[in-house]
């Protein structure tokens, strides 16, 4: 039961590849993704709407998992070839599934990491489901961009084509009550001295499995950042930021900000697009929403302005991780100076 | 970022003390336990119902956590002393809470592992909340019995006084459909070849956070084992077993067995007792229920008999772990031989 050399290596690997690819070798995450109807049906719709345009095209499905997107292409379109690229052990199962479903003539499973990929030729379409918590966590996006630069034909199609991060200030009464206010007087005792420990333990990282109720939105949401998959550069992932201004539409406690993302898939033959929006106004996905709580809530009123900015800093050592810096100020409707300003940095997850 | 000596040690420690005590040094588990109303109110009721009888008594609260049971004793009874024993780092907070709530005269916080405990004298009452998944997981019960043998007065009180493990055969359509049947034809594809992998991955261990709906019970539950805390010996924890016979009360698919536990607290001055029952006919607790699924469901009919036995084998190396062996046969009402027999061994968790 000695610690193995493998684990030793992992602990030094800024990409934590063993943990990352290891998590995709069992069925758990694949089941979660496949069972996510809004996610999977969106990819299916994209292929369906573009089935005529995909005829004779070379398609690359990066991080194909069990191969679902490749199967949609083979089922509903007539591509020349689909390269289904997957680095984790699940690729063995994917190969067997391709044979079993009689798509060996179209789908070529390639067990390879993106950076080691070799193809017989460039491709016309690069499709991938690379999105994570706060859109970019795990930074699979870097692999997608690398492969784009090496293997996508000039003028080729990127699916998704654009990606946006959305945010809204919100009330989160129940979260705050059950994690922080709880310590005020449980069973008539005075446990208030544990509150700083509770704030540190429960509020210093975001809640990645939060489900935001639309009633808890204090204003209309805004788009913080918008990424164009054709032009985005890998270096730009190091630091991404966006300003925000929210107009509070009702009185309420301001406990924090909730973020989510959306992606758009540009149709090949027309100006239409297909959208996947993971926000609270759309059906819930396995990504849920991400809640960033302030250490102390702020009472806000209809007409208040919440202004500030968000910065995503990619971790310079742990390359799949980032921190999210939130700056905010709350200003009353008629006032010129803010009555409350704050700043907080949230690691995701290192 | 080298692997530390500490982790190295942990990997060899059959008691996994670093992981075990480490998990109790943050607030998360304590919050979960304190927020569990049926659990915490039961302990409160026990103290309340026995407040007169506890006057002048010496009480030992083993694994006190944030000290909630000790606080109940100090609030509602007049014991001579309460020794609040806790090995994890949370004990520091507990000491501060005792001072803050002005109970330093009664509650003595002792940061010590059970096996290293030294007290000025024996105690009249040993109270503890040692129950885990399948009642015994983590085997904190061994520490309780050790301390009983060394520090409880002859004729002293054990709270809980008895503990029982309950079981029922059940339908679990949704679990089986979403984890196994899912692979039959997701999005019109044939993924059946993944079913053996899914059964292995999702059904080889029990689901410890299952919530059994009473409608899914195929028969009345039974008590598998009953433990008397005054007479139970540590050696008896190595292997515990019980037979069962269930009479199926309606037609339905038999997907597996669900277990839960109950504990009883004998009153000091009368024959009454207080019960905490974590089963599906009582309010849900943080222990939830534990589902053991068969690899393949069996169609059962009203009048069928499901007979067999359960054996808990404590892991001879990883001392906080156990395996649960289930043997079952299903016999039709009028038949003399079973139409289906099976056996499955479930690790919890090693
Ligand atoms: Ca993802
Ligand atoms: Ca417990």
């Amino acid at each position: 039961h000695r610690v193995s050399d493998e684990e030793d290596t992992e602990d030094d690997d800024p990409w934590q590849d063993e943990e990352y690819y290891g998590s995709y070798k069992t069925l758990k995450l694949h089941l979660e993704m496949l069972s996510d109807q809004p996610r999977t049906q969106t990819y299916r719709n994209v292929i369906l709407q573009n089935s005529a345009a995909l005829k004779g095209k070379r398609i690359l499905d990066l991080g194909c998992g069990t191969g679902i997107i490749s199967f949609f292409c083979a089922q509903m379109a007539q591509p020349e070839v689909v390269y289904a690229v997957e680095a984790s052990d699940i690729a063995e199962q994917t190969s067997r599934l391709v044979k079993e479903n009689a798509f060996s003539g179209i789908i070529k499973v390639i067990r390879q990491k993106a950076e080691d990929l070799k193809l017989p030729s460039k491709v016309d379409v690069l499709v991938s489901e690379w999105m994570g918590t706060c859109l970019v966590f795990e930074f699979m996006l870097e692999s997608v961009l690398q492969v784009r630069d090496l293997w996508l034909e000039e003028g080729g199609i990127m699916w998704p084509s654009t990606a946006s991060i959305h945010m809204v200030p919100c009330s989160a009464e129940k979260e705050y009550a059950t994690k922080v206010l709880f310590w005020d007087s449980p069973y008539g005792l005075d446990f208030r001295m544990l509150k700083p420990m509770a704030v540190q333990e429960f509020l210093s990282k975001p809640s990645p499995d939060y489900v935001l109720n639309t009633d808890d939105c204090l204003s209309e949401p805004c788009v913080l950042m918008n990424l164009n998959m054709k032009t985005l550069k890998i270096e730009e992932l190091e630091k991404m930021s966006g300003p925000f201004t929210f107009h509070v539409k009702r009185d309420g406690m301001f406990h924090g900000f909730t973020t989510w993302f959306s992606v758009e898939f540009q149709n090949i033959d027309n100006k239409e697009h297909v959208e996947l929006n993971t926000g609270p106004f759309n059906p819930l996905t396995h990504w849920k929403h991400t809640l960033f709580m302030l250490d102390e809530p702020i009472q806000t009123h209809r007409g208040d302005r919440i202004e500030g900015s968000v910065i995503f800093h990619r971790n310079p050592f742990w390359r799949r991780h980032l921190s999210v810096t939130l700056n905010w100020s709350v200003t009353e409707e008629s006032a010129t100076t803010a009555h409350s300003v704050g700043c907080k940095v949230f690691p995701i997850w290192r």
Side-chain angles (χ1 to χ4, degrees), chain A:
Chain A
H1 295 279
R2 287 270 127 203
V3 171
S4 72
D5 288 346
E6 247 176 16
E7 283 171 68
D8 213 13
T9 308
E10 167 67 7
D11 215 53
D12 276 340
D13 174 12
W15 287 89
Q16 301 175 275
D17 273 354
E18 195 187 330
E19 183 184 332
Y20 178 66
Y21 292 113
S23 69
Y24 291 98
K25 81 183 174 198
T26 54
L27 290 176
K28 185 169 181 277
L29 292 179
H30 299 290
L31 178 57
E32 186 184 31
M33 293 187 292
L34 289 170
S35 302
D36 180 344
Q37 291 273 340
R39 167 198 179 270
T40 307
Q41 290 290 6
T42 298
Y43 278 87
R44 191 173 186 280
N45 284 344
V46 171
I47 307 306
L48 188 59
Q49 291 202 17
N50 289 275
S51 58
L54 286 171
K55 183 166 180 161
K57 293 279 198 292
R58 286 154 301 166
I59 303 172
L60 172 51
D61 175 4
L62 190 65
C64 68
T66 54
I68 191 75
I69 300 171
S70 298
F71 283 120
F72 291 152
C73 293
Q75 266 181 328
M76 301 188 296
Q78 292 165 286
E80 184 188 312
V81 65
V82 183
Y83 299 113
V85 178
E86 173 60 45
S88 86
D89 288 351
I90 200 74
E92 277 175 49
Q93 309 302 326
T94 313
S95 295
R96 293 170 62 213
L97 291 170
V98 168
K99 281 200 202 85
E100 187 75 10
N101 286 269
F103 287 129
S104 300
I106 298 172
I107 302 174
K108 309 296 173 193
V109 177
I110 302 175
R111 185 170 173 181
Q112 201 95 73
K113 289 186 190 178
E115 52 272 33
D116 302 330
L117 185 61
K118 295 277 176 295
L119 295 178
S121 69
K122 291 198 172 189
V123 298
D124 305 301
V125 178
L126 171 50
V127 60
S128 182
E129 195 277 84
W130 50 264
M131 299 83 78
T133 294
C134 279
L135 184 64
V136 296
F137 172 66
E138 288 189 329
F139 285 96
M140 181 179 165
L141 178 53
E142 171 164 337
S143 301
V144 173
L145 300 182
Q146 268 180 29
V147 167
R148 175 198 68 188
D149 293 343
L150 284 171
W151 296 109
L152 185 65
E153 290 280 11
E154 188 81 27
I157 302 290
M158 288 290 286
W159 278 340
S161 316
T162 60
S164 302
I165 298 172
H166 305 250
M167 194 167 88
V168 73
C170 63
S171 289
E173 293 288 356
K174 200 187 150 201
E175 287 285 305
Y176 194 71
T178 56
K179 291 178 175 171
V180 180
L181 298 180
F182 175 84
W183 305 101
D184 276 336
S185 66
Y187 304 92
L189 295 159
D190 180 357
F191 275 27
R192 281 177 298 175
M193 59 167 46
L194 295 180
K195 282 172 85 171
M197 193 175 162
V199 167
Q200 169 61 28
E201 184 176 330
F202 299 123
L203 309 190
S204 64
K205 291 178 179 177
S207 305
D209 289 322
Y210 190 65
V211 178
L212 178 63
N213 193 315
T214 53
D215 296 341
D216 286 333
C217 294
L218 291 172
S219 83
E220 297 300 314
C222 78
V223 172
L224 281 180
M225 304 172 204
N226 187 280
L227 311 178
N228 182 330
M229 291 305 121
K230 284 300 290 279
T231 57
L232 182 67
K233 297 197 183 76
I234 292 174
E235 312 87 82
E236 294 179 85
L237 301 177
E238 295 300 319
K239 185 181 172 185
M240 300 193 292
S241 61
F244 56 76
T245 301
F246 297 108
H247 297 277
V248 175
K249 63 186 178 186
R250 63 167 178 83
D251 295 2
M253 289 306 279
F254 167 36
H255 287 99
F257 297 95
T258 297
T259 67
W260 62 90
F261 67 83
S262 64
V263 289
E264 290 184 353
F265 302 80
Q266 186 59 53
N267 281 348
I268 298 176
D269 280 349
N270 60 49
K271 297 279 179 199
E272 305 290 302
H273 66 257
V274 178
E275 190 197 47
L276 169 62
N277 189 313
T278 64
F281 302 95
N282 291 81
L284 192 66
T285 72
H286 79 286
W287 285 285
K288 313 268 180 64
H289 313 132
T290 306
L291 172 64
F292 298 82
M293 285 185 81
L294 314 184
D295 289 352
E296 282 186 25
I298 300 168
Q299 174 70 54
T300 54
H301 298 281
R302 182 186 164 89
D304 286 358
R305 254 176 14 256
I306 302 177
E307 295 168 296
S309 69
V310 178
I311 312 171
F312 285 17
H313 282 110
R314 191 171 177 185
N315 188 311
F317 182 77
W318 299 105
R319 298 302 282 159
R320 298 199 185 277
H321 298 250
L322 70 150
S323 70
V324 174
T325 302
L326 282 162
N327 280 285
W328 66 88
S329 67
V330 182
T331 311
E332 277 173 52
E333 189 156 21
S334 52
T336 51
T337 56
H339 71 80
S340 177
V341 298
C343 176
K344 191 169 168 182
V345 181
F346 299 80
I348 301 175
W349 302 105
R350 292 188 168 192

